[in-house]
Amino acid sequence: MNIRELLADRNRFYWALNLSGWAGYVVTAYIGAFAYDKPESYLWVISVSGLLGIAFTVPMRAIYRRWWSFPPVKLALSALALCFALASVRSLVINQLYFDWVKGGWTPSDWKSYFGGYLGTFYLFVCWSGLYFGIKYYQELQDQTRRALNATAAAHQAQLTMLRYQLNPHFLFNTLNAISTLILDHRTEMANECVTRLSDFLRYSLDNDPMRRVTLRQELEALDLYLEIEKVRFGERLTIQREVAGDALDGLVPSLILQPLIENAVKYAISPREEGGTIRIAARTHHQSLMVTIADDGPGLKNGSTASHGSTGVGLKNTRERLKQLYGDAQALTLAPNSPKGLVISINLPLEREASS
């Protein structure tokens, strides 16, 4: 909602509340008049009294909006002075009408009679002012809260975007290095195939919103684009195994959340070994959780605690931060030794499906 729409809504709210308030005042006064058998002319005085209330509170609102930036004490004293002045004018007009219409043109001998009922009118305007300031303060508080939430959301989205796109230069550097090696080895066909696969993967990466969550099926299809590049690089040295339960395929995951973990496994478990190795991708659901694991048969953990996979590197650190930003404490990413050797990276996410996302 833009500023103009917001102001339009507030104007409608003001008129609805103000008109209904004064209409309630008139109806209540009518009931009192009937209860005390007031003459019909008195009802006209009540009607004019309600109209004057509306007519006086419209400039009060305009004045209060100009005074809104005043310090609280100055604002309160100024509002009381305005209520005093307007209550005096309204009382004078209403009493004069009462003398003319109800009393048949009677003229009081005491000037104080022209201000009879003044305290009631003054109290009415003070209550109206208090209600106005209360509502306006609440609206200002809501505006501040909305702006804070929008700023937080913008910063949150910017951070997630940065985290997602931070991976592209990292991955791109490694792949271009491999292509360069293929060209130097005069393996031009393989280098060309690698460039084509890289183009497809980067197109998918750039076309997808980093805030968007995709189904695990879509994530695995995107992962295939990346693995085809690695297959060009490593050939038979790289073996991929999958154990994905059917009901897990519709679970939602952050887009391209698995690629840096697979890249890590390739870098530390496949690339350094002449015989290559195996990476296993598994996923299943358990109650309201989606569990995804990536396991390799590489060097695994050193000393049972520090990962030789570079657990403080860009890939894992980035993935941890993205998951934390998206799910808070409702997620978990853990590293554990694989059996008989290697590393298992487990991701545990709340189970969400596309229909309810």
Side-chain angles (χ1 to χ4, degrees):
M1 181 180 293
N2 59 38
I3 298 298
R4 183 174 297 175
E5 292 172 335
L6 184 62
L7 288 175
D9 282 349
R10 289 188 176 181
N11 282 329
R12 286 194 291 269
F13 176 71
Y14 163 77
W15 282 109
L17 194 61
N18 200 35
L19 292 177
S20 60
W22 285 110
Y25 164 80
V26 170
V27 170
T28 303
Y30 271 1
I31 294 172
F34 281 118
Y36 288 97
D37 295 323
K38 295 289 185 180
E40 185 178 345
S41 56
Y42 187 75
L43 301 180
W44 287 105
V45 175
I46 294 174
S47 300
V48 173
S49 176
L51 292 174
L52 284 175
I54 296 172
F56 281 19
T57 50
V58 170
M60 283 176 70
R61 181 196 184 205
I63 293 170
Y64 286 160
R65 291 170 76 174
R66 293 177 66 89
W67 288 355
W68 184 247
S69 59
F70 284 5
V73 174
K74 182 180 179 181
L75 179 61
L77 293 176
S78 300
L80 287 173
L82 181 62
C83 289
F84 176 83
L86 293 179
S88 300
V89 175
R90 183 173 181 270
S91 297
L92 181 62
V93 173
I94 295 301
N95 283 304
Q96 183 63 59
L97 292 176
Y98 178 77
F99 298 149
D100 291 343
W101 294 353
V102 181
K103 294 272 188 174
W106 176 71
T107 302
S109 58
D110 186 2
W111 65 270
K112 294 180 181 178
S113 299
Y114 286 99
F115 296 95
Y118 165 77
L119 286 178
T121 302
F122 176 72
Y123 176 73
L124 195 62
F125 281 144
V126 168
C127 289
W128 187 95
S129 301
L131 183 62
Y132 175 84
F133 288 135
I135 293 174
K136 188 164 180 65
Y137 176 76
Y138 174 77
Q139 289 175 334
E140 290 285 321
L141 193 62
Q142 290 294 98
D143 286 346
Q144 290 177 12
T145 303
R146 189 182 299 110
R147 286 192 292 269
L149 288 174
N150 287 341
T152 302
H156 178 69
Q157 183 167 356
Q159 185 171 10
L160 280 172
T161 304
M162 179 273 295
L163 290 170
R164 241 291 304 275
Y165 291 137
Q166 185 184 54
L167 293 175
N168 287 341
H170 182 253
F171 157 70
L172 192 59
F173 174 79
N174 290 338
T175 305
L176 290 177
N177 235 10
I179 293 172
S180 175
T181 302
L182 291 173
I183 293 172
L184 289 175
D185 291 343
H186 303 290
R187 298 160 68 185
T188 53
E189 276 191 35
M190 192 170 289
N192 183 61
E193 186 179 350
C194 202
V195 169
T196 303
R197 304 299 185 197
L198 175 62
S199 174
D200 292 339
F201 178 77
L202 289 181
R203 185 178 296 112
Y204 176 89
S205 174
L206 293 171
D207 286 346
N208 276 272
D209 184 352
M211 296 289 291
R212 179 170 171 247
R213 300 179 196 187
V214 299
T215 62
L216 183 61
R217 178 184 284 105
Q218 292 171 302
E219 177 70 1
L220 293 174
E221 289 172 357
L223 197 58
D224 285 338
L225 295 175
Y226 168 76
L227 289 172
E228 285 174 3
I229 297 172
E230 300 297 12
K231 276 286 189 180
V232 172
R233 291 176 58 197
F234 296 103
E236 298 301 321
R237 293 173 57 203
L238 173 61
T239 302
I240 302 295
Q241 297 177 350
R242 289 188 182 177
E243 296 179 15
V244 180
D247 62 344
L249 290 172
D250 293 328
L252 293 178
V253 297
S255 64
L256 292 177
I257 198 70
L258 300 181
Q259 184 270 334
L261 304 181
I262 295 292
E263 184 180 357
N264 232 37
V266 168
K267 181 177 179 181
Y268 293 100
I270 308 299
S271 184
R273 300 160 61 198
E274 188 174 342
E275 70 278 15
T278 300
I279 298 175
R280 182 172 63 88
I281 304 168
R284 64 186 179 91
T285 61
H286 181 68
H287 297 304
Q288 294 302 310
S289 296
L290 174 64
M291 291 171 283
V292 182
T293 60
I294 295 173
D296 63 62
D297 56 359
L301 301 175
K302 291 181 179 178
N303 302 323
S305 59
T306 305
S308 62
H309 270 246
S311 58
T312 58
V314 173
L316 286 172
K317 188 175 181 181
N318 183 292
T319 304
R320 284 186 191 278
E321 189 61 28
R322 281 188 69 198
L323 292 175
K324 184 177 179 182
Q325 288 288 328
L326 286 168
Y327 299 98
D329 294 333
Q331 53 76 36
L333 187 151
T334 58
L335 278 64
N338 194 14
S339 180
K341 64 175 183 175
L343 180 72
V344 178
I345 302 175
S346 301
I347 298 177
N348 196 318
L349 302 176
L351 181 57
E352 300 172 336
R353 300 194 184 275
E354 197 164 22
S356 61
S357 62

